[in-house]
Amino acid sequence: MSTAAEPGLRERKKAATRQALHAAAMRLAIEHGFDRVTVEAVADEAGVSRRTFSNYFGSKEEALLYGDYQRIHLLIEQVRARPAAETPWAALTAAAEQFYLKLGDLDPQWIAQSRLVRAQPALVAAQVQTFAALERDLSTEIAARTGDDPSGVRVRMTSAAFLASLRVALHIWLDKPPGTNLWDLVSEALAEAGRGFES
Amino acid sequence: MSTAAEPGLRERKKAATRQALHAAAMRLAIEHGFDRVTVEAVADEAGVSRRTFSNYFGSKEEALLYGDYQRIHLLIEQVRARPAAETPWAALTAAAEQFYLKLGDLDPQWIAQSRLVRAQPALVAAQVQTFAALERDLSTEIAARTGDDPSGVRVRMTSAAFLASLRVALHIWLDKPPGTNLWDLVSEALAEAGRGFES
DNA sequence: TTCTCAAAGCGCAAACTTGCGCAATAGGCA
DNA sequence: TGCCTATTGCGCAAGTTTGCGCTTTGAGAA
């Protein structure tokens, strides 16, 4: 029961199935377009039943966005690795920077394809849920750093503002021509939130 | 085609139906509990078919939260009435204050009942969508005040931070004992966002 | 007033979501 | 090694969501 211990065969299988469903959804969505993909086809492609699909994901959108979920979750874990001396916001922005700079090294072909999928209105809407689902986790992380109450207004707002920065930057990025640098937008959004809005 | 002109009988009927569906959903949810209410029952209560329900709302949650949607929308419109000399954030906080202070005058009985309904996990999750749906509207309002681009990072972030303040305060409020003052929490959240997070 | 058209209500069908219960199986325990 | 229990996969059924097309009705033009 340590922070991230032994996988165990059972959990491995589960993770594999989830990953397979996500990958299958991505593949089919890129190939045939978002709304020409049925849950049945995805489940089929991943080798499980439709019912099992629903045991893993509540909707097609969730399955597609699971990649984003994992990535942001990873980013949140990187926050923990930041020096304890850093303030929460410093740790967050530093983690975001190392995270998004690495993201730039990905296959441009793949980025272009997934961009098309993510621009789908239904997915943009669902993305909000993905980020909101991570607010608790991030609050816990921030509170652990300062020893504050994870449910306090300050902690919750820091968490919300950070995730809102990522989300807003991503939305703006999707509206811009391909090739636009995402980190520049994230960086600008974080700076605005850092500086505050009352001035 | 002025800012808010003649309703027209057609639009009136539409608004009435939407309102009737929302009211019916609230009534039944308060009476029987959120998950014992079917769309069919709501449509029935409002005197339309299930199909028509879906023409107005994408889900039970949306119908329930339509009240919140209207209220926040109203708040956004009140922002427009603030003096042009005020900065965006000053106008937003001032509008929020007059808005939430008036909200305190509502029937405590009704507040207690709707609190129970809103605490439902499915609704808390859906609430995020409700607020996100208003980000564009609010961005337009803020941009109009300063002459900025409504899609700029600063405007979008101001909008997101303001709505996040309302949302986070609301979530915290739902977790607190009944009778807690909502405006106090909103005020604190707005102050945090106003001051910024980097210090 | 009457005609025309677009929007609204709705039935139908296909797809999606979700609680329930049963069968297979991983993992712990004797 | 062999049993016990909780978890996972999945079929089924009830309920929900959504595209399509038909019918009705408000609103503007003739």
Side-chain angles (χ1 to χ4, degrees):
Chain A
M1 280 233 183
S2 65
T3 316
E6 6 64 75
L9 194 151
R10 201 163 206 157
E11 319 236 337
R12 283 200 164 283
K13 272 204 163 187
K14 197 173 172 180
T17 303
R18 193 182 296 270
Q19 206 64 47
L21 282 167
H22 165 62
M26 279 302 258
R27 209 160 342 114
L28 293 178
I30 288 175
E31 173 120 12
H32 303 122
F34 172 73
D35 36 12
R36 284 189 212 171
V37 176
T38 67
V39 168
E40 172 161 24
V42 174
D44 232 18
E45 179 93 353
V48 297
S49 73
R50 306 168 217 50
R51 184 64 185 85
T52 296
F53 174 96
S54 289
N55 284 339
Y56 283 91
F57 298 109
S59 63
K60 233 182 318 180
E61 289 81 5
E62 221 179 293
L64 263 317
L65 291 173
Y66 181 58
D68 283 39
Y69 179 89
Q70 283 181 113
R71 272 188 287 278
I72 305 296
H73 193 83
L74 210 59
L75 165 54
I76 291 178
E77 276 171 9
Q78 288 187 18
V79 172
R80 197 177 311 152
R82 299 298 312 174
E86 285 180 339
T87 64
W89 195 255
L92 290 170
T93 52
E97 177 163 13
Q98 53 182 112
F99 183 79
Y100 279 96
L101 291 184
K102 268 186 191 161
L103 217 68
D105 300 339
L106 292 179
D107 178 18
Q109 167 90 49
W110 181 85
I111 292 187
Q113 288 178 323
S114 69
R115 246 182 82 104
L116 285 181
V117 174
R118 282 134 74 91
Q120 214 62 227
L123 282 183
V124 173
Q127 188 113 33
V128 177
Q129 302 266 36
T130 301
F131 280 81
L134 289 160
E135 262 187 41
R136 301 252 166 200
D137 283 342
L138 182 52
S139 292
T140 304
E141 207 54 65
I142 293 172
R145 177 166 290 267
T146 61
D148 277 331
D149 172 14
S151 302
V153 173
R154 175 72 178 178
V155 170
R156 286 299 246 344
M157 277 306 296
T158 305
S159 176
F162 178 74
L163 290 171
S165 302
L166 307 189
R167 179 174 59 77
V168 167
L170 192 54
H171 286 183
I172 294 178
W173 180 72
L174 285 173
D175 285 339
K176 295 214 177 244
T180 306
N181 187 280
L182 176 53
W183 165 244
D184 288 346
L185 289 166
V186 172
S187 171
E188 190 183 347
L190 286 172
E192 298 289 3
R195 155 181 334 135
F197 299 96
E198 74 192 353
S199 61
Chain B
M1 282 239 181
S2 65
T3 314
E6 5 64 73
L9 195 151
R10 200 161 205 159
E11 319 237 337
R12 283 200 163 283
K13 272 206 161 188
K14 198 173 173 180
T17 301
R18 193 180 296 270
Q19 205 65 46
L21 282 167
H22 165 61
M26 279 303 258
R27 210 163 337 118
L28 293 177
I30 287 176
E31 174 120 12
H32 302 121
F34 172 72
D35 34 13
R36 284 187 210 171
V37 176
T38 66
V39 169
E40 172 161 24
V42 174
D44 231 18
E45 178 93 354
V48 296
S49 72
R50 307 168 216 47
R51 186 64 186 84
T52 296
F53 174 95
S54 289
N55 284 339
Y56 282 91
F57 297 110
S59 65
K60 235 182 316 181
E61 289 81 4
E62 221 180 293
L64 263 316
L65 291 172
Y66 181 59
D68 283 38
Y69 180 89
Q70 283 180 113
R71 273 187 287 278
I72 304 297
H73 194 83
L74 209 58
L75 164 53
I76 291 178
E77 276 172 9
Q78 288 186 20
V79 172
R80 197 177 311 150
R82 300 296 312 173
E86 285 180 338
T87 64
W89 195 255
L92 290 170
T93 53
E97 177 163 12
Q98 52 182 111
F99 183 79
Y100 279 96
L101 290 184
K102 268 187 190 163
L103 217 67
D105 300 338
L106 290 180
D107 177 20
Q109 166 90 50
W110 181 84
I111 292 186
Q113 289 179 322
S114 70
R115 246 182 83 104
L116 286 180
V117 174
R118 282 135 75 94
Q120 217 56 230
L123 282 182
V124 173
Q127 189 113 39
V128 177
Q129 302 267 38
T130 302
F131 281 82
L134 288 159
E135 262 188 41
R136 299 253 167 199
D137 282 342
L138 182 53
S139 292
T140 304
E141 206 55 63
I142 293 172
R145 178 167 289 268
T146 61
D148 276 332
D149 171 13
S151 302
V153 174
R154 174 72 178 177
V155 169
R156 285 300 236 2
M157 277 306 296
T158 304
S159 175
F162 178 74
L163 290 170
S165 302
L166 307 190
R167 177 174 60 77
V168 167
L170 192 55
H171 286 182
I172 293 178
W173 179 73
L174 285 174
D175 285 339
K176 294 213 177 246
T180 306
N181 187 282
L182 176 54
W183 166 243
D184 287 347
L185 289 167
V186 171
S187 171
E188 190 183 346
L190 286 173
E192 297 289 2
R195 156 180 335 132
F197 299 95
E198 74 191 354
S199 63

